[in-house]
Each structure stands twice: as structure tokens, then as C-alpha cells.
Amino acid sequence: MKKPPCMITPKDLSYLDDLLSHIHVFCKKTKHYLDCSTNQEVCKMLQVVHKVLYTQYDELLNILEV
């Protein structure tokens, strides 16, 4: 991955804010559905989805050095 620019425009910031917000909401939803589900196959899939989302969220924060 290329190094991000040193400056973030307001449009970029808005995009990143939306992206982080969406990922955060999806993480919370997958966790909630995981807690409610009794089907083991569904639980396994939700665990994978939750892990991917959490990893993406963490990687974005690391790129932004927050």
C-alpha cells in the first residue's frame, strides 16, 4: 500500500469518518447477532465477519496514526 498523503482534505476526512462509523456499527451488529444466534454455522460466519471488520477498523486507525 502506498503511503497516505501528509494532509487530509475535509472531503477525505468526511469519507474516513463515514467509513469508520459504518465499520463500527457493523461490528456492533455482528456482535449482537452473534450473541443472539443459536445456529453454530451462523455463529462461525459471524465470528469471521466480526474479526474482518475489527481488523479493518484497527488498520484504518493505524494508518491515520490515531
Side-chain angles (χ1 to χ4, degrees):
M1 179 176 187
K2 293 182 182 178
K3 186 175 179 176
C6 294
M7 185 177 122
I8 297 177
T9 66
K11 185 177 180 180
D12 293 335
L13 186 59
S14 177
Y15 175 77
L16 290 169
D17 183 48
D18 287 345
L19 187 59
L20 287 168
S21 294
H22 289 307
I23 292 173
H24 183 70
V25 168
F26 292 143
C27 272
K28 288 171 74 173
K29 285 186 176 189
T30 56
K31 179 68 174 145
H32 170 73
Y33 293 136
L34 184 59
D35 292 340
C36 294
S37 179
T38 57
N39 184 322
Q40 291 299 323
E41 190 174 329
V42 171
C43 285
K44 287 179 185 179
M45 186 174 55
L46 285 170
Q47 287 173 338
V48 170
V49 170
H50 182 75
K51 184 177 179 180
V52 168
L53 289 168
Y54 185 81
T55 303
Q56 288 179 344
Y57 190 83
D58 195 42
E59 285 179 8
L60 278 170
L61 289 179
N62 286 337
I63 289 170
L64 296 171
E65 296 177 354
V66 175

